[in-house]
Amino acid sequence: MPVPVPRPRAIPAVECGQAPAASQDRGPSTEQAPPGTAPAENLSGRPENRTQKREKTTENRENTPPRTAAQTTDRTTDRIPGRATDQHGSAVPTNLTVLLIEDDPGGSPIVPDLLDQSGKPIRVRTARNLTEAGRLLTDDVHCILLDLALPSPAPAPARTSADDDGDGDAEGHDELAVLRHVLELAPRHAVLALTSSSDAERGAEAVAVGAQDYLFRDELDGRLLSRAIRYAVERKRSDSAERRLAEGRLRAQENRRLERGLLPTPLLEGSPLRFAARYRPGRSRALLGGDFYDVVRTPDGTVHAMIGDVCGHGPDEAALGVELRIAWRALTLAGLCGDQLLGTLQQVLEHERAHDEIFATLCAVDIAPDGRRAGLCLAGHPAPLVAGPGTPARLLPYDNNGPALGLLPGARWPRMQVELGAEWSLMLYTDGLIEGHVGEGRERLGQDGMVEMVRRQFAEGLQGEQLLRATVNEVRELNGGELADDVAVVLLDRTP
């Protein structure tokens, strides 16, 4: 079968009014049958084949009075996409457009005076085959009327003598193959199947395959068809809305699973440190991004904290963030730290990432059991902030910041020893917190702006969850709305 031509479509000359409609001696026409003309009754009890339909079409034409020029002009004009006319030739707006796929348009049961629910005319386009339907199937088409008697788009598989029981299964298979092809070609459009009144079972099978409804081609009238079209369109809209709702529920479930992996419960049993964290997704994504963090206490009393960020956004990056977090926790509990731990994490990232361009930044801190000093390793990540009573907020040293994970094979990450004091608050964060804009210009908050903000909030007496909430909210307000990137912040407090 020829492959349908992709959109945008080329409107046939007869449809755009640049050429006269084909005469009867040139073959099948795309015009509708006149009002009151119905196809002959099928009394055989079996579906009509193409030869029978053409014979009935010829009989109908012989018994139909010739059309006037005005009638012919009116019906041709009604084919123009986006335009319909009343009896005076004035343009009338229309809401619905229908595509009829019928290999013998001259014998079509479609009547021209189809009206939508508001009383506006329904436009009808006619395609004689699936290739032509592909050209006419534009976004403004709401419903497809498909004749199930159309030939199959692909040759039917060879039948053996054992399979040939004379019950017409091959023909039925071909008819449903046409429907499946149309459903694949137009997954967002409502589809009405046309079949013979003696073949209701075929219509029911069509609905089971995916059509919104089926109609008997030999029992149609304008009112019935108009109502069926409106019903099919609304049912398709309802089905699409229900599908989107179900997809939304699945995304919400994915979010919860990813959140449990990215934002775990810290393992701090037996530690005097207080823990608080806050995460806020960026405005442009339904799924969580690649920000992740974790905090654990090893048997020797050391508290290990980590925060990281996988470049990019989406489920793949979030899944990689989960893998890195779990690997970090396992390696930390196994006794690794510093350069050895980060080097192993880089190996995990290199094996698990989808592309070589994917990398991750990370900040790892191990706080001594006495809580007065800590080791710091930075892999392309912003330095954490520390503040205490009588000590204004400041950034920890970042001169020995190593490269992000996944950028340089065989890289090293020096471990820096820092003094924290007897009472302190340590804030780890991702770059989403400092990359928000300040006002309507292009200026960003930056680390210096964040330090000044946290100093002021400490001076106001904010601590723990209140401090994190105030920080994230103020950053969002300065940005003038939701931040483009995800924000993750971890706060560890030590009080004597």
Side-chain angles (χ1 to χ4, degrees):
M1 183 197 74
V3 179
V5 179
R7 291 173 278 180
R9 73 181 185 89
I11 301 174
V14 65
E15 184 174 327
C16 62
Q18 298 176 358
S23 59
Q24 293 183 3
D25 57 357
R26 290 186 180 180
S29 169
T30 60
E31 295 181 1
Q32 299 173 345
T37 302
E41 190 81 9
N42 182 4
L43 302 177
S44 63
R46 297 183 57 80
E48 299 172 346
N49 56 37
R50 300 176 65 185
T51 302
Q52 291 173 328
K53 289 166 64 178
R54 289 194 180 96
E55 291 175 354
K56 294 180 180 181
T57 300
T58 303
E59 181 181 352
N60 288 337
R61 289 173 178 168
E62 293 175 352
N63 296 331
T64 302
R67 297 175 181 169
T68 65
Q71 290 173 325
T72 303
T73 302
D74 179 67
R75 287 172 175 77
T76 303
T77 304
D78 196 40
R79 283 297 188 279
I80 301 177
R83 177 183 174 190
T85 59
D86 56 17
Q87 58 182 350
H88 304 293
S90 302
V92 177
T94 180
N95 286 336
L96 294 179
T97 300
V98 173
L99 175 61
L100 170 65
I101 308 178
E102 163 67 69
D103 65 339
D104 190 7
S108 168
I110 306 300
V111 293
D113 53 345
L114 297 176
L115 301 177
D116 63 15
Q117 193 170 7
S118 62
K120 297 177 182 178
I122 297 176
R123 294 180 309 202
V124 180
R125 298 175 188 167
T126 302
R128 290 171 293 184
N129 51 56
L130 295 178
T131 301
E132 193 172 315
R135 293 196 298 267
L136 299 179
L137 188 60
T138 52
D139 290 337
D140 60 335
V141 173
H142 298 83
C143 183
I144 298 174
L145 299 180
L146 174 64
D147 187 358
L148 294 181
L150 277 175
S152 175
R159 291 175 54 83
T160 63
S161 57
D163 295 331
D164 191 4
D165 54 5
D167 60 357
D169 287 344
E171 182 180 358
H173 174 76
D174 290 343
E175 291 172 356
L176 293 182
V178 172
L179 174 61
R180 292 188 185 96
H181 181 86
V182 170
L183 293 173
E184 182 178 353
L185 182 67
R188 296 178 300 164
H189 294 74
V191 177
L192 283 173
L194 300 178
T195 186
S196 170
S197 59
S198 61
D199 201 11
E201 182 179 354
R202 186 80 62 211
E205 293 175 357
V207 173
V209 169
Q212 270 60 57
D213 204 348
Y214 69 94
L215 300 170
F216 298 136
R217 69 171 71 90
D218 47 358
E219 296 181 1
L220 285 180
D221 57 35
R223 184 177 179 182
L224 171 63
L225 184 56
S226 297
R227 185 169 64 249
I229 291 171
R230 296 196 301 267
Y231 168 78
V233 170
E234 292 304 322
R235 181 175 178 182
K236 184 66 176 180
R237 289 174 179 170
S238 176
D239 292 344
S240 299
E242 185 176 353
R243 183 178 64 256
R244 288 193 297 269
L245 181 61
E247 292 172 353
R249 293 194 184 103
L250 290 177
R251 283 195 297 269
Q253 294 174 3
E254 291 174 355
N255 281 350
R256 287 192 291 270
R257 286 195 293 269
L258 286 172
E259 184 176 356
R260 286 194 297 269
L262 292 169
L263 318 176
T265 302
L267 298 179
L268 283 175
E269 184 177 359
S271 172
L273 301 184
R274 293 183 302 173
F275 168 86
R278 191 164 184 85
Y279 176 87
R280 193 182 191 99
R283 62 172 175 237
S284 60
R285 292 168 307 282
L287 291 174
L288 298 177
D291 292 7
F292 56 97
Y293 63 78
D294 203 353
V295 178
V296 298
R297 180 178 182 269
T298 49
D300 63 354
T302 303
V303 173
H304 304 262
M306 173 271 295
I307 193 166
D309 185 3
V310 178
C311 71
H313 307 284
D316 292 338
E317 289 75 10
L320 182 57
V322 172
E323 292 174 338
L324 292 176
R325 186 203 64 77
I326 293 175
W328 178 87
R329 174 175 283 198
L331 294 171
T332 299
L333 293 176
L336 276 68
C337 67
D339 186 75
Q340 186 180 12
L341 187 150
L342 293 179
T344 308
L345 283 182
Q346 175 159 281
Q347 295 180 26
V348 173
L349 183 146
E350 291 173 345
H351 283 87
E352 296 297 331
R353 63 186 175 183
H355 307 286
D356 292 340
E357 295 77 12
I358 300 296
F359 63 90
T361 66
L362 189 137
C363 169
V365 178
D366 55 278
I367 303 170
D370 62 7
R372 290 181 170 271
R373 61 188 184 280
L376 171 65
C377 287
L378 297 176
H381 200 88
L385 176 150
V386 64
T391 304
R394 59 183 174 87
L395 296 176
L396 291 181
Y398 52 87
D399 296 338
N400 291 329
N401 194 340
L405 302 179
L407 288 184
L408 298 177
R412 304 298 297 272
W413 296 270
R415 179 178 179 273
M416 298 172 284
Q417 189 76 18
V418 294
E419 295 295 328
L420 299 178
E423 185 176 354
W424 46 262
S425 295
L426 182 65
M427 178 185 292
L428 288 68
Y429 54 92
T430 57
D431 57 7
L433 185 68
I434 59 177
E435 291 186 348
H437 289 90
V438 179
E440 298 180 356
R442 300 179 60 86
E443 181 184 359
R444 297 186 182 274
L445 177 65
Q447 287 181 294
D448 292 338
M450 180 200 64
V451 170
E452 292 298 327
M453 179 189 305
V454 175
R455 283 179 180 175
R456 174 169 40 81
Q457 292 168 348
F458 264 114
E460 295 173 358
L462 298 179
Q463 295 180 349
E465 288 283 356
Q466 291 181 339
L467 174 65
L468 295 187
R469 182 166 53 253
T471 300
V472 174
N473 289 342
E474 185 170 346
V475 169
R476 177 181 175 276
E477 292 173 1
L478 291 173
N479 190 63
E482 292 293 344
L483 299 166
D485 199 2
D486 303 321
V487 175
V489 190
V490 171
L491 185 66
L492 291 171
D493 293 309
R494 182 180 187 271
T495 56

